[in-house]
Amino acid sequence: MALWNGFKIAFSMYSKIPMPASEWSKENMKYALGFLPLVGVVIGAIVCLAAWGFDLLGIEDGQLFRVCVLTVIPVLVSGGIHLDGFLDVSDALSSWQEKERRLEILKDSHAGAFAIICCAVYFILYAGAVSLIESRTFFVLAFMYVMIRSGSGMSIVTLKLAKNTGLAATFSDGASKRVIRVWMFVYMIVCVTAMCWMNGILGLLCTAVFCVVWIYFRHMVYDKFGGVNGDMAGWFLQVCELGVMIAAAILTLGSGGTLWS
C-alpha cells in the first residue's frame, strides 16, 4: 500500500492527472518521490503521440500550431508546478539580495517583473527550438522528460536543504533516501542507454547538457541560497528541458536539417 499511495501522491502533486485521494502520512510519503519520473513518461508519451498525429494530419515541422502544442504539453500535464519554481527562483536571483532575503522572495506568492520577463524569454526560446526539431527526434527526447525529473528528484535526496520546512523537506524527511537515490540512478541509466541506442550523438548531447546544468545548479543553490528546495528543483527541471531542446535544435541545424539519414 505504501508504494501505491506514494504513486498517487506523486502524480497528484506533480501532475494534473486525476488521482484518488491519499493521506500524506510519513509512511505514504516514504517512496512518493521515486514516482516523479513516471510523470515524465506520461509527458513524453503525449508529446510523441502529438508529433506523430501532426505528421498524419500533414502538419509539417515548424508550423506555428504544431510548435505551440508541443511547447505547452509539459506545462499542461505538470500543471505548471515546476514552472512556478522557475519563476520564483528567477525573481530571487534577480533581486541581488542576501541569502535570507532570497529565500523570503521564494515564498512570495506574487510574480515579480523579472519572473514575467524570464517566463516570456523561456517560452520564446523553447518554441523556437521546437520549431527546428523533427517529429522523429521527439521519440528520443521523450526519455529526456524522465531523466530530468530523475535529476530533480535526486537533488532533493542528495543536496543539503535550504530550510527544514516546505515541500522539499516534506518529501525528503518522508523519503527512504537510499532507495530513492537508487531509483533515480536507475531511471537515468535507462534513459541515457535508450537515447544513445536510438541516436548516439543526440543521446550523448542530451546527457552532456544534463550534466552541465546539474553541476551549475548544485553550485548555484549552495552559493545563492545555502541549499536546495522545491522551487529550485523546479528551476533545474525547466532550465534543463530548455537546454536539451536548444541543443537538439542546434544539432539538427548542424546536421543539415535532419538527424535521420
Side-chain angles (χ1 to χ4, degrees):
M1 283 298 291
L3 288 175
W4 171 235
N5 287 327
F7 175 87
K8 291 187 291 182
I9 290 172
F11 269 74
S12 63
M13 184 69 225
Y14 293 113
S15 80
K16 297 298 288 184
I17 300 170
M19 282 286 147
S22 183
E23 181 185 358
W24 283 40
S25 65
K26 183 176 181 179
E27 181 65 22
N28 290 341
M29 296 289 289
K30 192 174 182 180
Y31 302 113
L33 197 60
F35 294 103
L36 168 59
L38 297 186
V39 178
V41 173
V42 176
I43 293 174
I46 294 175
V47 168
C48 289
L49 285 173
W52 177 65
F54 286 131
D55 283 348
L56 290 180
L57 293 172
I59 300 176
E60 299 178 355
D61 300 344
Q63 291 196 15
L64 184 58
F65 181 68
R66 173 187 180 276
V67 170
C68 291
V69 171
L70 294 176
T71 296
V72 302
I73 285 174
V75 179
L76 294 178
V77 176
S78 69
I81 184 171
H82 309 297
L83 185 62
D84 176 71
F86 170 78
L87 299 182
D88 288 342
V89 173
S90 297
D91 255 345
L93 290 174
S94 300
S95 70
W96 298 100
Q97 300 293 321
E98 298 298 321
K99 289 181 182 179
E100 288 302 319
R101 176 55 183 152
R102 292 192 194 107
L103 290 172
E104 290 177 7
I105 292 173
L106 292 180
K107 296 187 295 183
D108 191 341
S109 60
H110 299 89
F114 287 105
I116 296 171
I117 293 169
C118 289
C119 184
V121 171
Y122 181 93
F123 279 111
I124 289 171
L125 291 175
Y126 196 102
V130 168
S131 71
L132 298 172
I133 297 174
E134 305 163 273
S135 291
R136 187 174 175 182
T137 302
F138 283 105
F139 287 85
V140 180
L141 296 180
F143 292 95
M144 173 267 298
Y145 296 107
V146 182
M147 183 172 70
I148 292 175
R149 279 162 178 77
S150 301
S152 181
M154 183 73 86
S155 71
I156 299 299
V157 294
T158 57
L159 302 182
K160 174 187 173 184
L161 295 178
K163 286 190 174 182
N164 292 321
T165 58
L167 184 61
T170 300
F171 275 104
S172 181
D173 290 344
S176 178
K177 290 188 177 182
R178 182 177 298 178
V179 174
I180 298 300
R181 289 188 193 115
V182 172
W183 282 14
M184 297 304 179
F185 184 73
V186 171
Y187 282 130
M188 286 186 237
I189 292 299
V190 170
C191 290
V192 170
T193 302
M195 288 190 294
C196 289
W197 178 73
M198 295 174 74
N199 187 301
I201 296 176
L202 179 59
L204 290 174
L205 181 61
C206 290
T207 304
V209 171
F210 175 88
C211 292
V212 170
V213 175
W214 170 266
I215 292 170
Y216 173 77
F217 169 69
R218 185 181 186 279
H219 168 75
M220 184 270 288
V221 297
Y222 282 150
D223 181 54
K224 303 297 185 183
F225 299 97
V228 71
N229 72 0
D231 284 333
M232 295 170 219
W235 182 95
F236 164 79
L237 189 152
Q238 296 291 160
V239 171
C240 205
E241 283 190 3
L242 176 61
V244 167
M245 286 295 177
I246 291 175
I250 293 173
L251 182 62
T252 301
L253 285 176
S255 301
T258 180
L259 298 179
W260 312 93
S261 56

